[in-house]
Amino acid sequence: MTAQDAGFGGRLAALPAKAKFSMGLGIAALMAVVVAMTMWSSQGDYKVLYANLSDKDGGAIIAQLSQMNIPYRHADGGSAILVPAGKVHDARLKLATAGLPKGSVVGFELMDGARFGQTQFQERLTFQRGLEGELTRSINAMAAVQNARVHLALPNQNGFFREQQKPSASVMLSLHPGRTLDRAQIAGIVHLVASSVPEMTPKSVSVLDQTGALLSGAADGAGSMGLDAQQLQYVNQIETGFSKRIMELLEPVVGRENLRATVTAEVDFSQSEATSEEFKPNQGDQAQVAIRSQQTNEQGGSTPAGATGIPGAASNQPQQPATAPITGAAGALQTAQTGGGATNTRREAVTNYEVDKTVRVTRNATGTVKRLNAAVVVNHKSNTDAKGKTTVTPMSKEELEKLEALVKESIGFKTDRGDSVKVINAPFKVEPNTQVEVPLWKQPEVIDILRAAAVPLGLAVVGLVVFFGLVRPALKAALEPPPASTGNNLDAVVADPEPLPEPEMQVLEAPKTNPQLEQARALAKDNPAAVAGIVREWVSGEAA
């Protein structure tokens, strides 16, 4: 059977070994490209497996994923690991079995793996770690807190100690960029930690931020320095409110885009308390006197007189009482004459009156406005004539004074308080809106599309190169039929070493002149009517 009679299989078998090898290699490469595209398309979307990982935990997780033959990707600078969406839960369970990630916060689940025979110190330390982990989880649940660490100092209590040591705690907070904690939130963290540990007082809890600033000291009152978040927010509200009043009042007059205003408020947050007592004495005859207490003390005594006169019967007799009272000097004289004893009398009187008393306690209000400064810039006036030409002119002095009076009334201007208001007129500089056009190949959307399509396009290009470079030449050679054989059988002999002689070819040259053609041309020129009739008869098919 000749090659012409054989089918596609025979022609394929008749190919050289080099062509067969190229064709087999190309088919294998095409199959590999198809398998790669199938696997890539079956992976689907990637989802986050773990985020906010440390370098140590990220490396351990990647090593474990490589052992489990799970594809992964990096995101957010390596802090997040992504895996195919269908393998997220499976990968998490397997990594949890391996104890990854280790940097995650652990709580009281540490008590579940208690070992037999552990000492009291180890048990107390495990409990402390679990309590610190639970407090860290609770604090991390706050929106403003990015990360937290809790350190507990739990002294070993002993019943033989007269003075037991009190526990204390320290909390380290890492806040999200641009976030702050107000006084109520800090107090909540302090009381959360203090209430979770027995016999711990809020004063024993210290709260710090990522800069090392002590946050819990701001609630002590006397020890606070500077303004806290609530005070800053209060000042911001005052300034924003006054600025909004100015804008709403002047915008209908000068236009929406022709005004800029700002207000600075100086607010006094100092607290002071004064106590005074005033005593008002009762003066004048008409004043009502109120006796609070009265005390009278009177004492009296006398000394018996001794014997006087000439000793005898008369001096030994008792004295006769006086028949009539004798007072004054005569009585004293009589007493002296009669030799009577001395008399002592003492009288004391104490009277306490109610005195008017006024006790006044004065507390100054916090957050009072001490001074306001307002600055307003107004654009020049623009006038458009009938032809559409716009001209810009500055405002007059009277117009600026009117605007300044409106600003003063809107903010409650007070001269004794030291407020200041400044209104100026200046042309606004309008900058052209030049938008930088990003080239199409630099736009993020296009870059994402190219990244997503890079793998399939690359595989498709490789498949086309393999097909047209290796497979197609071999198929073309196998599909082309062999050339037809001539009458000479010697052409079909393949093993003939001598080439057949080429046949000689005769070249016929066309005559340069044709006498009949020349005669026809002369006839048509001389007798055109006859030539036309002849042509008409040829066309109509009639006999000449």
Side-chain angles (χ1 to χ4, degrees), residues 183-494:
R183 185 176 300 176
Q185 291 174 323
I186 297 173
I189 295 175
V190 171
H191 285 278
L192 171 66
V193 177
S195 302
S196 302
V197 181
E199 299 182 1
M200 181 180 288
T201 59
K203 294 182 179 180
S204 302
V205 181
S206 301
V207 181
L208 291 83
D209 60 0
Q210 64 268 25
T211 62
L214 183 63
L215 302 180
S216 59
D220 296 338
S224 61
M225 298 179 63
L227 301 180
D228 58 3
Q230 290 183 345
Q231 294 175 351
L232 292 175
Q233 185 178 5
Y234 177 70
V235 175
N236 189 17
Q237 289 178 355
I238 292 177
E239 295 175 349
T240 305
F242 284 127
S243 300
K244 186 177 180 181
R245 290 182 186 179
I246 296 173
M247 299 291 289
E248 291 178 351
L249 186 62
L250 298 185
E251 276 183 353
V253 180
V254 298
R256 184 176 182 83
E257 298 297 334
N258 297 325
L259 178 68
R260 297 293 184 271
T262 180
V263 178
T264 304
E266 184 179 351
V267 184
D268 184 14
F269 291 100
S270 61
Q271 299 179 358
S272 61
E273 181 178 347
T275 305
S276 62
E277 294 184 2
E278 298 179 358
F279 296 91
K280 184 178 180 181
N282 296 317
Q283 299 177 357
D285 298 336
Q286 300 299 328
Q288 297 180 0
V289 179
I291 299 176
R292 181 173 63 181
S293 62
Q294 187 176 7
Q295 182 179 0
T296 303
N297 186 10
E298 185 176 354
Q299 296 180 356
S302 61
T303 304
T308 58
I310 301 171
S315 59
N316 291 330
Q317 294 180 356
Q319 297 181 1
Q320 296 295 329
T323 58
I326 300 175
T327 59
L333 180 60
Q334 180 67 25
T335 303
Q337 290 178 357
T338 57
T343 302
N344 298 324
T345 303
R346 182 179 180 183
R347 179 178 296 174
E348 294 181 356
V350 179
T351 303
N352 296 324
Y353 298 94
E354 291 288 351
V355 181
D356 292 344
K357 177 183 179 181
T358 303
V359 179
R360 183 177 290 106
V361 179
T362 305
R363 293 181 180 178
N364 294 334
T366 60
T368 57
V369 179
K370 295 177 62 178
R371 186 180 179 183
L372 289 176
N373 298 324
V376 181
V377 181
V378 183
N379 192 11
H380 284 179
K381 295 188 300 181
S382 59
N383 299 321
T384 305
D385 55 8
K387 297 181 179 180
K389 185 178 180 181
T390 303
T391 58
V392 178
T393 57
M395 289 186 175
S396 62
K397 186 177 181 181
E398 292 77 9
E399 292 176 342
L400 291 178
E401 290 178 355
K402 292 180 181 180
L403 295 178
E404 185 175 350
L406 290 176
V407 174
K408 288 182 179 180
E409 293 297 329
S410 64
I411 65 174
F413 182 83
K414 292 183 181 180
T415 307
D416 55 352
R417 194 171 56 185
D419 297 347
S420 64
V421 174
K422 188 66 175 179
V423 179
I424 64 173
N425 181 224
F428 285 7
K429 183 179 180 181
V430 180
E431 296 182 357
N433 188 11
T434 58
Q435 295 182 356
V436 179
E437 295 184 358
V438 181
L440 182 63
W441 57 276
K442 286 187 177 182
Q443 294 181 1
E445 297 82 2
V446 178
I447 293 175
D448 294 339
I449 294 174
L450 292 177
R451 287 178 178 176
V455 175
L457 288 178
L459 294 176
V461 170
V462 172
L464 292 176
V465 171
V466 170
F467 177 78
F468 286 100
L470 299 178
V471 180
R472 187 173 179 273
L475 291 176
K476 186 178 180 181
L479 292 175
E480 287 182 353
S485 60
T486 60
N488 192 1
N489 293 331
L490 296 177
D491 296 336
V493 180
V494 179

Side-chain angles (χ1 to χ4, degrees), residues 492-505:
V493 180
V494 179
D496 191 2
E498 297 181 359
L500 296 177
E502 295 182 359
E504 296 182 359
M505 297 180 64

Side-chain angles (χ1 to χ4, degrees), residues 20 35 38 51 65 68 99-100 102 106 108 149 196 216 219-220 228-229 254-255 271 290 320 366 423 444 469 497 525:
K20 294 180 181 179
V35 171
T38 305
L65 291 175
M68 294 187 297
L100 294 174
K102 297 181 179 180
V106 292
F108 283 129
R149 293 194 64 184
S196 302
S216 59
D220 296 338
D228 58 3
V254 298
Q271 299 179 358
Q320 296 295 329
T366 60
V423 179
K525 185 177 180 181

Side-chain angles (χ1 to χ4, degrees), residues 132-195:
E132 291 175 352
E134 295 294 335
L135 291 174
T136 301
R137 288 175 177 174
S138 301
I139 297 174
N140 283 334
M142 301 180 66
V145 179
Q146 183 179 9
N147 191 13
R149 293 194 64 184
V150 179
H151 303 277
L152 298 178
L154 304 179
N156 187 13
Q157 302 295 343
N158 195 332
F160 295 99
F161 294 160
R162 293 184 178 180
E163 296 181 359
Q164 299 287 352
Q165 295 181 0
K166 299 296 182 181
S168 60
S170 299
V171 181
M172 183 71 180
L173 300 178
S174 296
L175 304 180
H176 289 285
R179 300 288 187 90
T180 57
L181 294 176
D182 55 13
R183 185 176 300 176
Q185 291 174 323
I186 297 173
I189 295 175
V190 171
H191 285 278
L192 171 66
V193 177
S195 302

